């Protein structure tokens, strides 16, 4: 470690002294990265103490506020320039981070007796997933995923970071999450010790399925048993579509609450954000939160992991957009937010339930099977007689209908962007397309 910067060595020593297992989880980059003190720390000191003149910040200032153009400012007159035009801290606005932590604890009772880091701002959830790869994934490391996944996971972890992707069947024969195959995948890949990155995404993209509390417990037990065998596990919980649950038996909180602190060899990381929870996809406001059991030393471990994450942010995008953070913070403070979100959730639930109602019709039985879904934005069909890509192209060219083809037989439908009154017609057109190609 002699070639590693002393600041990185200091962070590594803190992590290693508090948890040898978490230190061993770090990638080579994760061990090298640190947050520099240089200009940023000098600027932070000046912000507090330079009462006469602050000539440290790399922005332009005019009459005591960030310089700006009226052609832009006129659209955000209600936002002070200091909260919109200037840089945000690398880890995000402190007040927003604190507010999001409060939201996490309000939404997830199982996390309230666990130790959580202060959420770190990410430029959307994909950026958070990439930061996890920065910190914990070496080329050749194994990432455990189901066979029904968001395609960007492969692009990110396999293509970009060189990880080995191992998959297991998502559904069992009864239409639930296949906890037995999940356990088998962990057992097989944990046999040689080392490290596994286990990525869990509920509500799932593309299936729209969220596990039950019973399934969540079985998942946690499988991860704990893998850790018991001597394998370190980074459990990544991608909660992108959190909050949109349409059936009573569905788990209504993040599975991170079932995983945090279950074993000293398990580090749980919660990735979430305003992107979909607050319906602000283009704002690119996500969060990354480390979760452990409560114990002495966690604060130091969290601080060191945070500094490393900040270093990864600083060395790539520097910081996340300030204006987006300010707008999300204002929304979180609004007394109307809960009511507004409830209204939108009802719209989404209405669409999901309409899909279920429409697909009960026997006329579709010969064309496809419906994968179970209970949450989120999506649902999938398993086509029985035609190729999904052939059908996708046919629907687009003949009917002007767009859907997503997955593999050779699966079709993903985003009911999130289809008005409830148009759902019946949508599936009738898809059925007509199948009949066209089957003739």
């Amino acid at each position: 470690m002699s070639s590693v910067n002393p600041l990185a060595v200091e962070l590594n020593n803190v992590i290693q002294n508090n948890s040898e297992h978490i230190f061993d989880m770090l990638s080579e980059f994760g061990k090298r990265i640190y947050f520099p003190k240089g200009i940023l720390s000098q600027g932070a000191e000046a912000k507090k103490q330079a009462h006469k003149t602050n000539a440290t910040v790399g922005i332009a200032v005019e009459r005591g506020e960030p310089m700006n153009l009226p052609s832009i400012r006129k659209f955000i007159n209600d936002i002070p320039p200091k909260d919109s035009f200037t840089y945000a801290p690398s880890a995000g606005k402190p007040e927003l981070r604190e507010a999001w932590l409060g939201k996490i604890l309000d939404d997830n009772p199982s996390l309230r007796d666990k130790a959580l880091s202060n959420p770190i701002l990410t430029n959307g959830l994909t950026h958070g997933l990439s930061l996890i790869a920065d910190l914990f994934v070496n080329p050749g490391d194994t990432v455990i995923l189901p066979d029904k996944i968001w395609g960007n996971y492969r692009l990110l972890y396999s293509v970009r970071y060189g990880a080995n992707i191992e998959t297991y069947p998502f559904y069992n024969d009864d239409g639930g999450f296949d906890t037995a195959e999940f356990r088998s995948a962990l057992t097989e890949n944990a046999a040689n010790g080392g490290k596994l990155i286990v990525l869990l995404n509920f509500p799932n993209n593309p299936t729209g399925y969220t596990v039950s509390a019973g399934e969540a417990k079985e998942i946690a037990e499988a991860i704990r048993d893998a850790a018991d065998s001597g394998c370190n596990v980074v459990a990544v919980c991608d909660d992108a579509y959190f909050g949109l649950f349409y059936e009573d038996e569905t788990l209504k909180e993040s599975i991170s609450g079932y995983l945090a602190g279950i074993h000293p060899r398990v580090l749980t990381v919660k990735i979430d954000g305003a992107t979909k929870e607050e319906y602000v996809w283009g704002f690119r406001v996500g969060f990354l939160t480390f979760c452990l059991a409560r114990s002495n030393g966690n604060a130091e471990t969290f601080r060191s992991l945070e500094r490393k994450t900040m270093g990864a942010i600083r060395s790539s995008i520097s910081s996340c957009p300030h204006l987006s953070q300010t707008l999300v913070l204002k929304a979180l403070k609004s007394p109307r937010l809960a009511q507004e979100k409830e209204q939108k959730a009802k719209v989404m639930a209405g669409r999901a339930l309409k899909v279920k109602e429409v697909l009960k019709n026997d006329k579709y039985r010969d064309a496809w099977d419906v994968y179970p879904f209970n949450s989120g934005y999506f649902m999938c069909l398993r086509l029985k007689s035609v190729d999904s890509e052939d059908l996708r192209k046919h629907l687009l060219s003949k009917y002007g209908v767009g859907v997503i083809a997955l593999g050779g037989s699966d079709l993903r439908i985003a009911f999130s962007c289809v008005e409830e009154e148009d759902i019946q017609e949508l599936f009738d057109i898809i059925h007509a397309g199948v009949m066209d190609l089957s003739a």
Side-chain angles (χ1 to χ4, degrees), residues 48-153:
K48 294 179 180 178
Q49 300 177 42
H51 55 83
K52 183 174 178 62
T53 301
N54 183 357
T56 66
V57 186
I59 66 169
V61 176
E62 188 174 29
R63 291 185 291 277
E65 67 178 24
M67 190 179 292
N68 58 83
L69 302 176
S71 295
I72 296 175
R73 185 173 180 178
K74 67 181 181 180
F75 296 107
I76 52 172
N77 268 330
D78 293 340
I79 309 292
K82 68 180 179 63
D83 291 324
S84 54
F85 289 99
T86 191
Y87 295 119
S90 289
K93 288 175 73 79
E95 192 177 1
L96 175 57
R97 297 174 65 195
E98 182 181 351
W100 196 262
L101 178 60
K103 179 186 178 304
I104 289 175
L105 295 175
D106 286 344
D107 292 343
N108 300 278
S110 294
L111 283 171
R112 293 173 192 167
D113 63 346
K114 310 295 171 58
L116 275 63
S117 72
N118 203 10
I120 300 166
L121 248 293
T122 65
N123 194 35
L125 278 76
T126 305
H127 181 221
L129 293 164
S130 182
L131 289 169
I132 291 304
D134 279 341
L135 295 178
F136 299 107
V137 178
N138 285 316
D141 282 350
T142 297
V143 177
I144 305 293
L145 288 164
D147 59 357
K148 308 227 179 278
I149 58 170
W150 180 43
N152 209 19
Y153 291 149

Side-chain angles (χ1 to χ4, degrees), residues 203-204 208-210 241-246 348-349 352 373-379 415-416:
N204 175 263
Y209 185 86
T210 292
Y241 300 91
F242 180 82
L244 296 172
F245 306 115
Y246 312 130
M348 295 290 285
F373 69 100
N374 53 26
S375 54
Y377 280 21
F378 311 110
M379 59 81 56
F415 58 80
S416 59

Side-chain angles (χ1 to χ4, degrees), residues 37-287:
K37 289 186 176 178
I39 291 175
L40 293 175
S41 62
Q42 293 176 45
E45 290 175 5
K47 186 176 181 180
K48 294 179 180 178
Q49 300 177 42
H51 55 83
K52 183 174 178 62
T53 301
N54 183 357
T56 66
V57 186
I59 66 169
V61 176
E62 188 174 29
R63 291 185 291 277
E65 67 178 24
M67 190 179 292
N68 58 83
L69 302 176
S71 295
I72 296 175
R73 185 173 180 178
K74 67 181 181 180
F75 296 107
I76 52 172
N77 268 330
D78 293 340
I79 309 292
K82 68 180 179 63
D83 291 324
S84 54
F85 289 99
T86 191
Y87 295 119
S90 289
K93 288 175 73 79
E95 192 177 1
L96 175 57
R97 297 174 65 195
E98 182 181 351
W100 196 262
L101 178 60
K103 179 186 178 304
I104 289 175
L105 295 175
D106 286 344
D107 292 343
N108 300 278
S110 294
L111 283 171
R112 293 173 192 167
D113 63 346
K114 310 295 171 58
L116 275 63
S117 72
N118 203 10
I120 300 166
L121 248 293
T122 65
N123 194 35
L125 278 76
T126 305
H127 181 221
L129 293 164
S130 182
L131 289 169
I132 291 304
D134 279 341
L135 295 178
F136 299 107
V137 178
N138 285 316
D141 282 350
T142 297
V143 177
I144 305 293
L145 288 164
D147 59 357
K148 308 227 179 278
I149 58 170
W150 180 43
N152 209 19
Y153 291 149
R154 287 191 182 275
L155 190 65
L156 198 162
Y157 289 103
S158 179
V159 177
R160 187 178 181 88
Y161 289 91
N164 173 47
I165 304 293
E166 294 290 341
T167 63
Y168 57 91
F170 186 91
Y171 288 107
N172 60 27
D173 292 340
D174 297 324
F177 183 80
D178 202 330
T179 55
E181 289 291 343
F182 174 76
R183 173 180 285 276
S184 294
L186 262 63
T187 301
E188 179 179 345
N189 288 281
N192 296 321
K195 172 180 63 181
L196 294 177
I197 295 89
V198 178
L199 205 162
L200 298 164
N201 168 223
F202 304 116
N204 175 263
N205 175 7
T207 67
Y209 185 86
T210 292
V211 294
S212 65
E215 290 169 333
K217 290 177 183 177
E218 291 184 44
I219 289 170
E221 289 168 0
I223 291 176
R224 184 195 61 211
D225 290 347
D228 266 340
S229 74
C231 183
N232 294 325
V233 180
V234 182
V236 183
C237 304
D238 178 352
D239 295 338
Y241 300 91
F242 180 82
L244 296 172
F245 306 115
Y246 312 130
E247 294 183 359
D248 292 340
E249 65 271 19
T250 304
L251 182 67
K252 301 298 195 300
E253 59 177 318
S254 169
I255 196 171
S256 60
Y258 286 68
L259 306 181
I262 59 172
H263 196 283
R265 287 185 178 271
V266 176
L267 173 64
T268 302
V269 190
K270 188 180 192 303
I271 308 289
D272 54 21
T275 306
K276 299 174 180 71
E277 291 189 47
E278 318 302 329
Y279 304 93
V280 288
W281 306 273
F283 280 25
R284 312 311 296 149
V285 176
F287 298 88

